[in-house]
């Protein structure tokens, strides 16, 4: 997933947002996310504002090497999510590429009750003001980025599992690996969409408590954290319902129509590569999605439908993929799991390989992930 932060000059707000989010993804081992920033004014090679650099340094963030970049059509086209600071920036994106507006959102949509602004507000720019104004902007950006990070979809399962395993080892201070039962537990959490940060924060919390009593070595299984993970996930889900008034931000019909557009675009790209059979399957899928959009129902039903449709489409593409390519994809999936294989049950291993093969097929055909819409 590639995330692009946009502000005006790329010397204050968007560099801070980029650095804050990068710190979070590095901390949690999320190698599936790439984050960049740019500006709409076309400023090139300028350092970050001195005040922003000072405040970043206080928070353990280094902006000394940052140099401003101008946003380009290629950047907009390549971003899966475009996060802007002001409504005027979203209008700039729309003027450049109207199809990108579906991937564009205001950073303030993630504003919390203590951030100082309301969802939908512009994030204030402090350029030309005193350090106090910069400090206010910094607090707003920090709050919004932290909340944005928590709303991102979970990473691919291999990244998810590796991050949990590495954090568990680190906090225990020993090379003890996860047990087969622990791997099954992580697999279930990933399938249910339990955010990675909930698992990692729970490991930090519970093992940290044991560390305080000199008893951390007694935490031998991840199942020790299961009850707290479930409690925190339930609280997180309740909070999402409260924030959205019991509904997802986009309606079911809009979500399925968006899926149809993205799949149709993927079909054009695949046909351009000369893969006629696969392009035909994807084009038929896009037409099917468009025809079903009116009956999509509520967002929850649409999400379930898209998840099932995604699996069906990938299965159809397996049959259209040359056997040599399919074999290579499976071998790559098995190789990526080699170090975990002796600690996984056969069923868990096969299920994980199947999901990895599906993910590689999605990448091979440049398909959108319908389960994330």
């Amino acid at each position: 997933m590639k995330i692009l932060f946009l502000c005006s000059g790329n010397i204050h707000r968007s560099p801070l947002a980029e650095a804050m989010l990068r710190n979070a993804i590095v901390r949690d081992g999320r190698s599936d996310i790439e984050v960049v920033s740019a500006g709409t004014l076309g400023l090139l090679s300028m350092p970050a504002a001195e005040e922003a650099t000072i405040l970043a340094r206080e928070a353990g963030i280094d902006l000394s090497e940052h140099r401003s970049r101008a946003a380009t059509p290629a950047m907009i086209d390549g971003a899966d999510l475009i996060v802007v600071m002001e409504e005027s920036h979203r209008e700039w994106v729309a003027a450049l590429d109207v199809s990108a507006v579906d991937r564009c959102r205001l950073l303030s949509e993630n504003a919390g009750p203590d951030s100082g602004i309301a969802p939908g507000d512009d994030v204030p720019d402090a350029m030309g003001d005193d350090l106090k104004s910069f400090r206010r902007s910094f607090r707003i950006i920090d709050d919004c980025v932290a909340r944005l990070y928590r709303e991102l979809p979970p990473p691919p399962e291999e990244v998810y599992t590796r991050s949990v395993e590495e954090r568990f080892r680190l906090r225990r201070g020993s090379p003890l690996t996860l047990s087969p039962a622990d791997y099954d537990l992580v697999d279930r959490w990933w399938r249910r969409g339990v955010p990675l940060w909930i698992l990692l924060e729970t490991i930090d919390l519970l093992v940290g408590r044991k560390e305080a009593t000199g008893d951390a070595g007694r935490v031998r299984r991840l199942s020790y954290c299961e009850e707290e993970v479930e409690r925190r996930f339930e609280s997180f889900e309740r909070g999402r319902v409260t924030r959205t008034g019991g509904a997802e931000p986009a309606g079911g019909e809009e979500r399925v129509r968006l899926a149809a557009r993205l799949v149709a675009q993927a079909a054009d790209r695949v046909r351009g590569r000369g893969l006629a059979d696969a392009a035909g399957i994807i084009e038929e899928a896009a037409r099917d999605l468009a025809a079903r959009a009116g009956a999509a129902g509520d967002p929850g039903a649409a999400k379930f439908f898209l998840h099932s449709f995604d699996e069906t489409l990938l299965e159809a593409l397996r049959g259209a993929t040359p056997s040599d390519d399919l074999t290579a994809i499976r071998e790559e999936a098995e190789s990526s799991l080699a170090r975990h294989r002796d600690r996984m049950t056969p069923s868990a291993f096969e299920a994980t390989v199947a999901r990895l093969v599906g993910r590689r097929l999605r990448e091979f055909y440049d398909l959108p992930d319908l389960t994330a819409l």
Side-chain angles (χ1 to χ4, degrees), residues 74-144:
M75 287 183 191
I76 299 298
D77 183 62
D80 299 296
L81 177 63
I82 305 162
V83 184
V84 300
M85 303 296 148
E86 302 175 9
E87 187 61 43
S88 63
H89 300 144
R90 180 149 55 184
E91 293 169 356
W92 184 90
V93 171
L96 189 68
D97 181 0
V98 69
S99 68
V101 174
D102 287 337
R103 295 177 280 118
C104 193
R105 63 193 288 185
L106 284 164
L107 179 61
S108 67
E109 291 175 24
N110 300 98
D114 300 323
S115 66
I117 61 173
D121 287 352
D122 290 348
V123 174
D125 189 1
M127 294 305 298
D129 294 335
D130 56 18
L131 188 61
K132 181 179 179 180
S133 296
F134 275 90
R135 197 175 295 279
R136 175 174 179 260
S137 292
F138 186 95
R139 286 197 301 268
I140 292 170
I141 296 168
D142 189 35
D143 176 80
C144 292

Side-chain angles (χ1 to χ4, degrees), residues 135-295:
R135 197 175 295 279
R136 175 174 179 260
S137 292
F138 186 95
R139 286 197 301 268
I140 292 170
I141 296 168
D142 189 35
D143 176 80
C144 292
V145 169
R147 291 173 178 273
L148 168 66
Y149 176 65
R150 293 188 168 213
E151 294 293 340
L152 295 178
E157 187 170 14
E158 65 269 29
V159 176
Y160 190 92
T161 302
R162 183 174 64 248
S163 296
V164 172
E165 185 176 39
E166 290 178 354
R167 183 65 63 87
F168 191 61
R169 288 176 176 174
L170 175 67
R171 294 313 305 257
R172 286 193 73 262
S174 78
L176 186 70
T177 60
L178 301 184
S179 70
D182 286 337
Y183 280 109
D184 287 344
L185 185 59
V186 174
D187 177 69
R188 291 201 302 273
W189 281 332
W190 181 82
R191 285 171 175 268
R192 290 168 55 204
V194 178
L196 176 63
W197 61 265
I198 286 182
L199 271 66
L200 301 183
E201 286 189 3
T202 302
I203 291 170
D204 288 343
L205 173 68
L206 297 186
V207 181
R209 286 176 182 171
K210 286 289 188 179
E211 286 175 345
T213 62
D215 207 19
R218 296 181 65 85
V219 182
R220 295 185 175 277
R221 293 291 175 256
L222 189 62
S223 53
Y224 176 76
C225 304
E226 183 174 6
E227 183 177 346
E228 180 66 13
V229 167
E230 294 293 341
R231 186 193 68 77
R232 290 165 68 91
F233 182 50
E234 181 180 350
S235 177
F236 172 73
E237 290 288 88
R238 285 200 306 269
R240 293 184 73 179
V241 171
T242 300
R243 290 193 298 275
T244 62
E248 295 286 342
E253 180 175 350
E254 291 85 350
R255 186 168 293 181
V256 177
R257 291 195 186 283
L258 171 60
R261 291 198 300 273
L262 295 176
V263 171
Q265 292 168 6
D268 290 340
R269 292 192 293 269
V270 170
R271 189 167 292 283
R273 290 163 53 191
L275 304 174
D277 290 345
I281 291 172
I282 300 171
E283 286 168 351
E284 182 178 352
R287 290 192 293 269
D288 194 10
L289 282 168
R292 297 193 191 192

